[in-house]
Amino acid sequence: MFKVLSIHLKSHKLKYIALVLLIISAILVKQVLIDVVYIGKQYEKNRIITPWGEKIKSGNLSVDYSLEQALIDIEALGLNTVNVPVRIDISSLTANSATINTESKKKANQLIKKLRYQGINVILEPYPYIKNGELYETQLNPYDKDEWFRNWKEGVLKPLIQDIAKPYKVYALCIGSNFDKFEKEYALWNDVANFVRTNYQGRITYKTNWWYTAAWDTEKNGLHDTYTAKLNNPVLEKVDFISVAAYFELTDQDTNTVENLVSSIYSTKIFSRHQNIYEELKKLSTQWNKPIFFGELGFPKRNKAMVHPWNPEPSTILNEQEQANGFQAYKEVFEKESWNLGLSVFAIGKNDEFKNYYPSDQSINVINSWYK
């Protein structure tokens, strides 16, 4: 039997070689047509080019997003980019290790495959999920910083680079998000940035949390001042753009007109701080010669949303227009600034009674009007 097969293969050798070459050629042609021509055209179609530079118009997916709702929201908001979170499980606020959630990673892979064919860029974010989401990353403070950073590099960032960022050629990788308690570990963060640059040739960003300053604060320019620390954070020199979670406290009023909010961005009303958010962001950009990106821009659909935008329920009174006014105010102040790279709407991908940040119909209209 084997002898007959051998004779058959030898007598038809050239035919089989030709067939194999034909199959390989078909595969290569298909890859070129899809990956280079079709997908390339899709990305080109979604670019947002304005007189003030190319812009990112993104949305942050809730960590519990659904694929179907994510795709609906991307189209409804006219987005060209999506911030895709991969859930990183952390047991407590002092834990020294973090673990990639397998199901979250699998879901991110599924979504990103779909987004590529639509020409939608991806910002990949390892999303800290502490004690099953009960606690906030802003309060995370690992007991052993050296061990935590080693684990963050080798156990979190490296697998995400190898399994998602590289193969899917994501637009950017976020190397850290809102780690207020240890953002000043400059040497360790520099090491993270260097590690990522060595293993990944794409864009990287770092997301820093909002801050406040006050005109009456005599220590506002001191070494321990939060804003001063951000201005002097050397890791920002190593990124391609600086992401800011923009939950700045603006006023002390339950409701606000757009005009009042625009004025408050230049001089905050709350506690008579008179913080000039516009100038501080611009100065941060100038300091490091990097564009500023609103890595999270969101407001709860509630009264007092502009008092504490970081609080998902600052009051029990529903107010969808107040949320929309917040987006409109930021649009009027920042849309035409060349140093502002764009925004990412917080948060999309799931809409239920608990998602107070999900954009209202009024907000969707405002968001659609950015860069038009």
Side-chain angles (χ1 to χ4, degrees):
M1 178 179 175
F2 290 108
K3 186 176 181 180
V4 173
L5 180 61
S6 177
I7 293 172
H8 176 79
L9 290 173
K10 286 180 181 179
S11 62
H12 295 83
K13 181 178 179 180
L14 291 177
K15 288 183 180 179
Y16 285 116
I17 292 174
L19 180 61
V20 170
L21 290 175
L22 183 62
I23 293 172
I24 292 173
S25 298
I27 293 172
L28 290 175
V29 168
K30 184 179 179 182
Q31 285 183 332
V32 169
L33 287 176
I34 293 177
D35 290 346
V36 177
V37 179
Y38 176 76
I39 291 179
K41 285 185 177 179
Q42 291 296 99
Y43 281 116
E44 188 64 28
K45 182 180 70 176
N46 290 326
R47 292 177 69 191
I48 299 176
I49 310 296
T50 76
W52 319 287
E54 187 166 359
K55 301 293 184 179
I56 301 174
K57 190 176 181 183
S58 175
N60 294 80
L61 294 176
S62 300
V63 72
D64 57 349
Y65 69 91
S66 73
L67 298 178
E68 296 75 17
Q69 188 64 49
L71 295 172
I72 290 170
D73 291 342
I74 290 165
E75 183 175 359
L77 293 168
L79 306 180
N80 70 347
T81 305
V82 179
N83 187 104
V84 178
V86 174
R87 174 175 155 178
I88 308 301
D89 292 324
I90 302 173
S91 61
S92 72
L93 292 177
T94 57
N96 300 323
S97 62
T99 306
I100 296 174
N101 183 276
T102 304
E103 287 303 312
S104 180
K105 182 181 175 184
K106 179 180 177 181
K107 185 167 66 167
N109 270 306
Q110 292 173 335
L111 177 62
I112 293 170
K113 286 179 183 178
K114 294 177 181 292
L115 296 180
R116 287 189 73 244
Y117 287 100
Q118 295 186 8
I120 303 295
N121 279 316
V122 167
I123 297 174
L124 182 63
E125 178 183 12
Y127 188 90
Y129 203 73
I130 307 169
K131 199 178 177 182
N132 292 318
E134 296 177 16
L135 305 172
Y136 294 104
E137 70 274 16
T138 55
Q139 297 302 309
L140 181 67
N141 194 12
Y143 179 77
D144 185 336
K145 301 294 193 302
D146 290 330
E147 174 60 21
W148 188 91
F149 276 94
R150 185 202 63 77
N151 174 258
W152 189 251
K153 289 186 301 181
E154 297 290 343
V156 174
L157 294 175
K158 189 174 182 179
L160 292 182
I161 289 170
Q162 292 177 340
D163 299 339
I164 301 179
K166 274 187 176 180
Y168 295 119
K169 301 176 183 177
V170 303
Y171 178 83
L173 172 66
C174 185
I175 65 172
S177 303
N178 304 329
F179 292 129
D180 285 3
K181 293 292 185 180
F182 54 106
E183 188 168 270
K184 293 180 184 179
E185 298 286 348
Y186 298 145
L188 292 170
W189 279 116
N190 274 338
D191 182 56
V192 168
N194 292 335
F195 173 84
V196 173
R197 285 293 189 201
T198 300
N199 290 277
Y200 179 62
Q201 283 65 58
R203 297 177 185 85
I204 67 172
T205 187
Y206 173 84
K207 188 191 296 181
T208 190
N209 200 22
W210 72 281
W211 61 88
Y212 67 85
T213 60
W216 40 258
D217 184 2
T218 57
E219 298 295 324
K220 65 180 179 179
N221 296 316
L223 293 176
H224 301 292
D225 170 68
T226 301
Y227 178 57
T228 302
K230 293 179 190 293
L231 284 175
N232 292 293
N233 188 346
V235 77
L236 300 182
E237 184 178 23
K238 297 179 179 292
V239 301
D240 294 284
F241 58 93
I242 301 167
S243 295
V244 176
Y247 300 107
F248 295 99
E249 298 173 341
L250 298 179
T251 79
D252 52 8
Q253 298 178 194
D254 286 13
T255 62
N256 297 271
T257 63
V258 172
E259 293 74 18
N260 187 45
L261 294 177
V262 168
S263 173
S264 297
I265 291 172
Y266 291 106
S267 180
T268 58
K269 309 296 191 299
I270 187 169
F271 300 128
S272 299
R273 287 179 184 150
H274 302 297
Q275 177 185 7
N276 191 329
I277 296 166
Y278 171 87
E279 284 295 338
E280 290 180 356
L281 287 166
K282 185 177 181 180
K283 185 176 179 181
L284 184 62
S285 173
T286 302
Q287 177 84 350
W288 298 108
N289 193 29
K290 308 286 181 181
I292 300 295
F293 174 63
F294 292 133
E296 293 179 30
L297 184 63
F299 313 93
K301 293 175 288 193
R302 293 287 188 274
N303 275 9
K304 296 186 178 181
M306 305 306 155
V307 180
H308 298 307
W310 46 266
N311 184 352
E313 195 167 4
S315 81
T316 57
I317 301 173
L318 183 68
N319 191 333
E320 297 184 342
Q321 188 60 49
E322 184 73 358
Q323 182 193 60
N325 288 351
F327 283 111
Q328 181 65 34
Y330 269 79
K331 176 181 185 290
E332 292 186 11
V333 173
F334 296 104
E335 181 183 30
K336 298 181 181 180
E337 295 297 334
S338 60
W339 52 266
N340 179 237
L341 187 59
L343 76 155
S344 193
V345 177
F346 188 90
I348 63 171
K350 188 170 184 180
N351 184 18
D352 59 30
E353 66 273 21
F354 302 108
K355 300 299 183 184
N356 293 337
Y357 286 101
Y358 187 86
S360 65
D361 290 342
Q362 298 96 314
S363 295
I364 290 172
N365 289 334
V366 173
I367 294 162
N368 267 311
S369 72
W370 281 59
Y371 310 127
K372 290 184 177 180

